[in-house]
């Protein structure tokens, strides 16, 4: 099987959408390991916009008059049995370079008109009846409705019933090197779908709908994102914290006692804990199998969490969660919130 895997994100290898597309392709390889994969990062290619000159129809039929990287990409597209289109949602559509690539597929079409499936189309110059397509996309908003409809319809019109879709809202859940448990579970689901796809050649509509369910509660996700955006606009306090009091130290010790082995041992995590009522702070250094209390400030820290001692005690006891405290304004986070999300994986009984 020839698979053309198109990464259409301006973030290239750092794309959140690419994590989902990678999982899908890995699933395909589980059942068809001998497949040939051509993975193309479009934002590393020179792809000029289509001029609309129709030269590929009349002057040089089947060949674009523009000389750039599409010369090598068009043959890959034509030979592909499956094309995986991976892209984030930009203004309810696709990023500009992906759109330029799509427009430059025009040499594949004939200038003739034909009526097909209730509409008028240009027939393919090359036999593409068996070619299948998979659209993988994420968006920043927390719900699928009123977000993916335009791009989904575009691929329905382009590919008829030969396209399947993996459309995931709350894409920020995948935009980190340290995924939370919910995001990791979704990647496992997508990988299983990829394995099934090589057998069935499609993704069932019920499965597509299941994959479009956000990995976090939509209302809670929106509230947390908005709260973090508001905090980010205010500077963190510049006070140098004293050593934590015995009560504050007991909170840190409770975290240490609940530490479990890091599921991602290749990356240590350091988070600063600030106790606002006593203006003290310390850092927790989480390594492969140990968690230690270190002085703060710590230049290795990925994030800083600030609350008073009483609130920290309630979080440790399970009376509230970090996200609840964040939403009601009694806790603040600066830095990488994705690092905070990892606390739920690293500490038994701590809810984020």
């Amino acid at each position: 099987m020839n698979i053309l895997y198109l990464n259409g994100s301006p973030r290239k290898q750092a794309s959140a959408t690419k994590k989902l597309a990678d999982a899908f392709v890995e699933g395909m390889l589980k059942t068809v390991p001998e497949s040939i994969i051509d993975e193309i990062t479009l934002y590393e290619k020179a792809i000029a916009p289509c001029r609309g000159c129709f030269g590929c129809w009349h002057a040089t039929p089947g060949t674009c008059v523009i000389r750039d990287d599409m010369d090598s990409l068009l043959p890959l597209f034509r030979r592909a049995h499956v094309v995986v289109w991976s892209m984030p949602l930009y203004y309810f559509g696709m990023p500009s370079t992906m759109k330029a690539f799509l427009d430059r597929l025009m040499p594949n079409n004939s200038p003739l008109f034909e009526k097909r499936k209730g509409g008028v189309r240009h027939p393919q110059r090359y036999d593409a009846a068996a070619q299948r397509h998979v659209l993988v996309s994420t968006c920043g908003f927390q719900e699928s409705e009123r977000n993916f409809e335009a791009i989904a319809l575009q691929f329905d019109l382009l590919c008829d019933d030969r396209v399947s879709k993996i459309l995931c809202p709350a894409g920020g859940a995948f935009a980190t090197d340290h995924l939370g448990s919910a995001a990791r579970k979704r990647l496992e689901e997508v990988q299983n779908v990829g394995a099934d796809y090589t057998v069935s050649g499609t993704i069932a509509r019920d499965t597509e709908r299941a994959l479009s369910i956000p990995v976090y509660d939509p209302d809670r996700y929106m509230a947390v994102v908005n709260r973090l955006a508001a905090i980010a606009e205010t500077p963190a306090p510049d006070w140098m914290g004293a050593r934590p009091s015995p009560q504050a130290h007991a909170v840190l010790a409770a975290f240490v006692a609940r530490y479990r082995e890091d599921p991602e041992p290749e990356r240590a995590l350091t988070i600063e804990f600030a106790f606002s009522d006593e203006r003290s702070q310390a850092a927790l250094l989480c390594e492969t199998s140990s968690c230690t209390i270190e002085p703060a400030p710590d230049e290795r820290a990925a994030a800083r969490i600030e609350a008073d001692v009483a609130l920290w005690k309630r979080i440790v006891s399970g009376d509230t969660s970090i996200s609840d405290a964040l939403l009601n304004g009694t806790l603040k986070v600066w830095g990488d919130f994705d690092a905070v999300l990892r606390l739920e994986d690293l500490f038994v009984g701590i809810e984020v």
Side-chain angles (χ1 to χ4, degrees), residues 7-16 18 41-45:
N7 175 8
S9 171
R11 298 183 67 195
K12 303 177 183 178
Q13 300 304 309
S15 165
K18 188 178 186 299
T41 303
L42 291 179
Y43 274 80
E44 294 177 349
K45 300 296 182 181

Side-chain angles (χ1 to χ4, degrees), residues 72-240:
S72 60
L73 297 179
L74 274 172
L76 296 180
F77 186 90
R78 291 166 183 164
R79 80 173 191 180
H81 299 110
V82 178
V83 182
V84 178
W85 306 75
S86 173
M87 68 191 84
L89 195 72
Y90 275 24
Y91 274 85
F92 308 104
M94 63 183 67
S96 57
T97 297
M98 178 65 90
K99 183 59 166 65
F101 173 87
L102 182 63
D103 291 345
R104 292 285 301 282
L105 295 179
M106 194 173 181
N108 288 348
N109 295 94
S110 160
L112 301 176
F113 284 14
E114 70 174 12
K115 296 195 71 173
R116 180 161 49 89
K117 297 201 174 195
V120 178
R121 300 286 186 271
H122 294 291
Q124 291 286 302
R125 192 182 296 273
Y126 307 94
D127 184 10
Q131 189 180 68
R132 292 172 288 150
H133 301 264
V134 181
L135 169 62
V136 183
S137 186
T138 61
C139 71
F141 294 130
Q142 72 273 23
E143 294 179 331
S144 297
E145 291 74 17
R146 303 284 294 173
N147 283 304
F148 290 112
E149 286 84 351
I151 194 170
L153 178 58
Q154 183 171 13
F155 273 83
D156 285 338
L157 294 172
L158 288 167
C159 308
D160 296 322
D161 56 0
R162 294 178 292 114
V163 62
S164 298
K165 308 178 190 75
I166 299 173
L167 308 175
C168 295
F174 305 96
T176 172
D177 290 335
H178 302 286
L179 300 180
S181 56
R184 290 200 305 271
K185 180 180 178 183
R186 179 56 51 85
L187 292 184
E188 291 173 3
E189 294 168 347
V190 171
Q191 187 178 92
N192 292 335
V193 168
D196 293 339
Y197 181 85
T198 58
V199 177
S200 64
T202 188
I203 301 176
R205 292 291 179 255
D206 287 346
T207 301
E208 288 186 348
R209 283 190 288 270
L211 294 177
S212 71
I213 297 173
V215 296
Y216 296 120
D217 174 80
D219 293 336
R220 191 175 190 81
Y221 181 84
M222 180 174 67
V224 169
V225 169
N226 287 344
R227 182 66 183 164
L228 286 172
I231 293 175
E233 294 179 353
T234 64
D238 58 1
W239 43 265
M240 297 290 287

